[in-house]
Amino acid sequence: MKDLLSIDHLQTFFKTEAGTVRAVDDVSLRIKPGETVCIVGESGSGKSITAMSVMGLIGNAGGKVEGGSIQFQDRDLLKLSRNELRTIRGHEIAMIFQEPMSSLNPVLKIGEQVIEPLMEHLKLSRKAARKRAIELIKQVGISRAEQIIDAYPHELSGGMLQRVMIAMAISCGPKLLIADEPTTALDVTIQAQILDLLRSLKEESGMSILLITHDLGVVAEMADYVAVMYAGKIVEQGEVEAIFANPKHPYTKGLLRSKPIMNQLRDELYSIPGQVPNPLELTESCYFHDRCEQCMAICRTKQPELIPVGDSQQAACWLYEEEKRYA
Amino acid sequence: MTIASSETAQGIKVNKNQSHVRSSLWRQSFRRLVRNKLAVTGFAVVVIMFLACFIGPFFSPYTDNKINMALMNHAPYAKHWLGTDTLGRDVLTRVLQAGRISLTVGLASMVLSVFIGTLLGIIAGYYRGVVDQLIMRLADLLLTIPSLPLLFIIGALLSEWKVPPDYRMYIVMLMLSIVSWPGLARMIRGQMLSLREREFMQATIVLGLSDRRKLFRHLLPNLVPLIIVIATLNIGGAILSESVLSFFGLGVMPPTPTWGNMIDAANNMIDFQERPWLWLPPGFSIFATVIAINIFGDGLRDVLDPKQKR
Ligand SMILES: Nc1ncnc2c1ncn2[C@@H]1O[C@H](COP(=O)(O)OP(=O)(O)O)[C@@H](O)[C@H]1O
Ligand code: SF4
Ligand SMILES: [Mg+2]
């Protein structure tokens, strides 16, 4: 099937006083229609910046997309004008954030905010938009929609607000929904409800989801395809079953070992030793080398490339590049 | 925040006794303002001043301001509660009539400068880049010149050009707005810059909303509290500046009375020492009004200033 979104060799950098942060460095990723792709990785690995690059929010954040392309259907998002982008955002590609509490305007009623994309993109009248807003709010599992619509954001709980954000995001029938850690700020029980909601909405509408998370539990629940990011690069990607059953990259293995398993008591939760490297001090090497138990000489001096390992996954690790290592 | 407990109810997280869900942010702010006794007092004084000045003269038998040589410089007594001035006019009536002018000048110049300052501040903060640079350099330029000397220079020029006294009142309003918009524009711009970093503004971008929607529906309502506070404090400043100008004969000119040009009497040694009823009432009016406005403005700021909100 033709890809809905294809990110190719994306490079997004931030020039700071201390040096250039290569927040996303040569990332390629494909999303097919109806597919849920998860980007997983520790905090600071470049997940949000990847999503923001797709949305065209990098300029606002003070960074710059230095290379690559982002093809959505048959358009390169990086080449569109401000206005063309605006008609795609909220309409064909929607996004929800980590903090529902601060993602809504505190001085506007919920309804006032939900009707806006409907009026903007679908050109609905105020009245029709309000009617549709009530339906949408019901659709995301809020029962007292008629009342909620006249409430202010501070009167609702985080879980409710995230539902409202989802209602706004799906209001114009997007083909792609980007969700950046949509459940991280929420209570555990609510997390599961929100994930369920996303899954059922996806099934109803057939949209694709790009889900960003640091939680492998979420990946297991949601993903068809996984990309594991580390220090601005994808270190392993593949079908979710393959990755979980047979992780190749030592970082992925570490992540899986540190994942708490439901109903299974362990004395102590494993965590990968060491810390994410300082993005300003990266030199040509496998960026994971100082935390890797299998680190070899070459790992310190040369960067491994993402190569096919097995049938449905790819990894960037010298362990799987036998030939090159001795060449 | 107890998300879990409130979520189970599948409803709105609101106190049970607070039956109407729609209790707006404004109502909450109002309640907090009313609890601030000092601010309420300030507000009451301002209201009383306005009522006295705009309605009071209707009850005075002396509004024609007839010159009465027989009753010059009379000390306060039953028929003239605050005495009479050098031309035998009733001081109380004149103070109230002067108040009309002073308060009007203060209000009008506030409206104008808030309009200019808000507009330019929003444009600078929203579009940034070259427009921002232009507006802010102009504002900086005006801010580097202390406003009183600047006003003095313009006032002196006006006198030099023999601007008719009738027009001076309007020109003074304009002058005051010109010196006060830069500070305002800078505050609005600062607020705009911090607002656009807020996540809900990111959300409006992600929703593909138009600039018009972002500006007028999302940003402006968030600026309103700041604008209200600035506007209130600005009236006090404008009244004070007008008084100083008029006191030095560079603002509104007699025969149009203002509090400032009435205190001019204090320039005269004999009046100053022997006839305090000539300059004390207008002086006290300025003092009371400006202080009251500032206290009320501070109270408003405590309630409305976004930096203190939650
Ligand atoms: N505005 C910015 N200026 C400079 N560096 C930034 C900025 N935003 C993000 N970064 C850097 O980019 C890297 C990736 O960040 P991000 O994508 O937010 O990580 P995460 O995977 O946790 O979402 C981090 O090293 C971060 O320090
Ligand atoms: S390349 Fe080397 S250091 Fe990097 S993950 Fe593989 S084995 Fe470890
Ligand atoms: Mg992030």
Side-chain angles (χ1 to χ4, degrees):
Chain A
M1 213 189 301
K2 203 157 163 269
D3 295 326
L4 177 70
L5 183 83
S6 81
I7 302 173
D8 284 289
H9 305 292
L10 178 70
Q11 292 186 301
T12 305
F13 299 165
F14 289 86
K15 296 223 161 62
T16 66
E17 278 165 28
T20 302
V21 177
R22 302 164 79 99
V24 174
D25 195 1
D26 197 14
V27 161
S28 300
L29 190 68
R30 262 137 247 287
I31 302 178
K32 296 190 190 76
E35 188 180 41
T36 299
V37 174
C38 278
I39 302 181
V40 64
E42 280 165 294
S43 164
S45 51
K47 308 182 297 291
S48 295
I49 301 300
T50 305
M52 287 168 75
S53 303
V54 175
M55 268 295 176
L57 299 174
I58 291 302
N60 292 32
K64 193 157 182 274
V65 177
E66 300 279 351
S69 70
I70 302 175
Q71 204 77 20
F72 177 70
Q73 294 179 315
D74 40 14
R75 287 158 292 186
D76 187 345
L77 295 181
L78 296 177
K79 296 213 173 75
L80 295 185
S81 71
R82 219 170 88 90
N83 235 354
E84 288 169 317
L85 254 185
R86 196 170 62 69
T87 57
I88 291 182
R89 291 174 185 150
H91 192 180
E92 293 176 73
I93 307 180
M95 183 165 178
I96 55 175
F97 298 102
Q98 177 172 344
E99 291 286 346
M101 301 283 188
S102 49
S103 298
L104 285 156
N105 193 331
V107 305
L108 290 179
K109 290 178 184 171
I110 300 291
E112 295 291 310
Q113 305 191 50
V114 180
I115 63 174
E116 285 192 310
L118 294 166
M119 292 169 72
E120 186 82 53
H121 298 297
L122 305 184
K123 312 288 178 223
L124 294 189
S125 70
R126 211 184 159 73
K127 217 171 138 213
R130 194 179 156 91
K131 209 166 139 248
R132 180 80 187 108
I134 293 177
E135 290 167 16
L136 282 164
I137 291 177
K138 283 190 179 140
Q139 196 184 345
V140 295
I142 299 176
S143 49
R144 291 155 57 201
E146 285 87 354
Q147 278 138 303
I148 297 298
I149 207 166
D150 286 321
Y152 284 92
H154 74 272
E155 295 169 324
L156 306 185
S157 65
M160 296 279 278
L161 290 175
Q162 194 59 294
R163 285 174 196 270
V164 171
M165 292 308 296
I166 292 172
M168 290 168 78
I170 61 161
S171 63
C172 299
K175 301 193 177 71
L176 174 64
L177 174 67
I178 301 178
D180 189 352
E181 312 240 10
T183 58
T184 306
L186 304 176
D187 213 71
V188 193
T189 49
I190 314 298
Q191 284 187 13
Q193 293 175 13
I194 295 290
L195 292 178
D196 279 341
L197 173 65
L198 284 176
R199 214 175 11 228
S200 69
L201 288 173
K202 186 197 109 158
E203 254 133 52
E204 282 166 38
S205 69
M207 66 183 174
S208 308
I209 297 181
L210 175 59
L211 181 65
I212 291 171
T213 179
H214 64 265
D215 181 349
L216 277 170
V218 173
V219 178
E221 288 265 317
M222 302 290 291
D224 300 314
Y225 193 89
V226 195
V228 181
M229 271 188 92
Y230 189 77
K233 289 187 165 291
I234 293 182
V235 294
E236 177 159 15
Q237 62 180 6
E239 306 282 334
V240 67
E241 296 83 6
I243 299 276
F244 272 79
N246 198 1
K248 300 290 188 193
H249 197 283
Y251 178 59
T252 316
K253 289 180 187 167
L255 280 182
L256 282 167
R257 265 179 80 192
S258 59
K259 170 184 179 291
I261 296 174
M262 211 74 92
N263 306 326
Q264 186 178 328
L265 277 176
R266 282 197 246 174
D267 293 343
E268 209 174 314
L269 203 56
Y270 172 83
S271 72
I272 307 172
Q275 280 167 5
V276 185
N278 181 341
L280 291 167
E281 289 166 6
L282 293 176
T283 52
E284 165 93 35
S285 64
C286 167
Y287 295 155
F288 188 58
H289 76 260
D290 53 359
R291 300 171 74 183
C292 180
E293 286 165 3
Q294 288 154 283
C295 179
M296 301 164 288
I298 188 171
C299 306
R300 297 177 212 278
T301 53
K302 279 195 80 174
Q303 189 136 46
E305 276 174 36
L306 200 59
I307 52 161
V309 181
D311 295 336
S312 56
Q313 77 205 85
Q314 295 170 297
C317 171
W318 287 118
L319 291 173
Y320 307 98
E321 287 197 51
E322 294 288 335
E323 332 71 70
K324 274 198 193 166
R325 208 167 0 137
Y326 301 109
Chain B
M1 208 165 281
T2 56
I3 299 167
S5 57
S6 54
E7 186 73 11
T8 49
Q10 248 282 349
I12 298 180
K13 189 189 62 190
V14 131
N15 297 337
K16 293 287 173 294
N17 52 13
Q18 198 179 320
S19 53
H20 44 276
V21 175
R22 281 185 203 85
S23 102
S24 71
L25 298 173
W26 288 111
R27 209 169 302 171
Q28 291 179 11
S29 303
F30 180 71
R31 251 178 254 135
R32 277 170 53 204
L33 184 64
V34 172
R35 246 178 277 141
N36 182 343
K37 292 286 176 289
L38 209 56
V40 173
T41 313
F43 181 70
V45 171
V46 176
V47 169
I48 291 170
M49 268 298 173
F50 267 83
L51 289 179
C53 293
F54 284 89
I55 300 176
F58 290 117
F59 299 100
S60 159
Y62 307 112
T63 42
D64 52 357
N65 280 314
K66 246 208 307 274
I67 295 172
N68 183 351
M69 290 306 176
L71 208 68
M72 274 165 43
N73 292 330
H74 201 296
Y77 71 112
K79 280 182 76 178
H80 292 279
W81 294 351
L82 292 178
T84 62
D85 67 5
T86 354
L87 297 174
R89 296 170 298 191
D90 179 54
V91 171
L92 176 58
T93 308
R94 276 193 67 79
V95 164
L96 297 181
Q97 287 172 330
R100 279 187 187 176
I101 306 291
S102 290
L103 293 174
T104 309
V105 169
L107 268 179
S109 80
M110 175 277 281
V111 169
L112 195 59
S113 63
V114 165
F115 181 76
I116 301 175
T118 305
L119 191 69
L120 293 182
I122 286 180
I123 292 173
Y126 189 74
Y127 291 103
R128 298 195 289 186
V130 187
V131 205
D132 183 22
Q133 288 294 319
L134 272 173
I135 294 174
M136 282 303 121
R137 289 303 79 77
L138 180 63
D140 287 345
L141 186 74
L142 283 170
L143 281 170
T144 48
I145 314 173
S147 58
L148 266 182
L150 183 64
L151 286 173
F152 274 34
I153 294 167
I154 308 177
L157 279 177
L158 291 177
S159 302
E160 193 68 17
W161 293 333
K162 307 251 182 315
V163 176
D166 293 351
Y167 288 118
R168 288 201 66 135
M169 182 176 136
Y170 303 103
I171 294 177
V172 168
M173 290 177 192
L174 211 64
M175 282 160 58
L176 294 176
S177 325
I178 287 170
V179 299
S180 67
W181 74 260
L184 242 144
R186 188 185 264 183
M187 269 190 271
I188 297 281
R189 172 180 174 272
Q191 184 75 10
M192 285 287 291
L193 292 183
S194 84
L195 278 173
R196 52 179 299 154
E197 297 304 317
R198 298 270 296 273
E199 238 171 277
F200 67 82
M201 286 314 296
Q202 288 271 46
T204 64
I205 300 177
V206 159
L207 286 171
L209 302 187
S210 63
D211 281 2
R212 195 171 48 87
R213 258 178 222 282
K214 279 188 259 178
L215 270 173
F216 292 104
R217 288 183 47 81
H218 286 270
L219 289 168
L220 202 55
N222 278 286
L223 289 173
V224 167
L226 179 67
I227 294 175
I228 291 177
V229 172
I230 297 177
T232 310
L233 294 173
N234 192 275
I235 303 177
I239 291 175
L240 207 55
S241 300
E242 181 274 323
S243 303
V244 173
L245 271 184
S246 301
F247 172 72
F248 285 106
L250 296 169
V252 182
M253 297 286 201
T256 313
T258 74
W259 287 335
N261 66 32
M262 282 184 77
I263 319 183
D264 192 32
N267 267 339
N268 176 324
M269 210 52 193
I270 299 171
D271 285 346
F272 182 68
Q273 287 180 336
E274 311 281 330
R275 301 168 189 138
W277 65 87
L278 291 183
W279 52 267
L280 259 182
F284 175 77
S285 302
I286 295 170
F287 176 78
T289 310
V290 173
I291 294 277
I293 289 176
N294 284 351
I295 288 175
F296 176 59
D298 279 341
L300 271 180
R301 188 191 348 239
D302 289 346
V303 174
L304 294 179
D305 195 318
K307 270 170 226 107
Q308 302 214 2
K309 210 157 58 179
R310 264 177 295 159

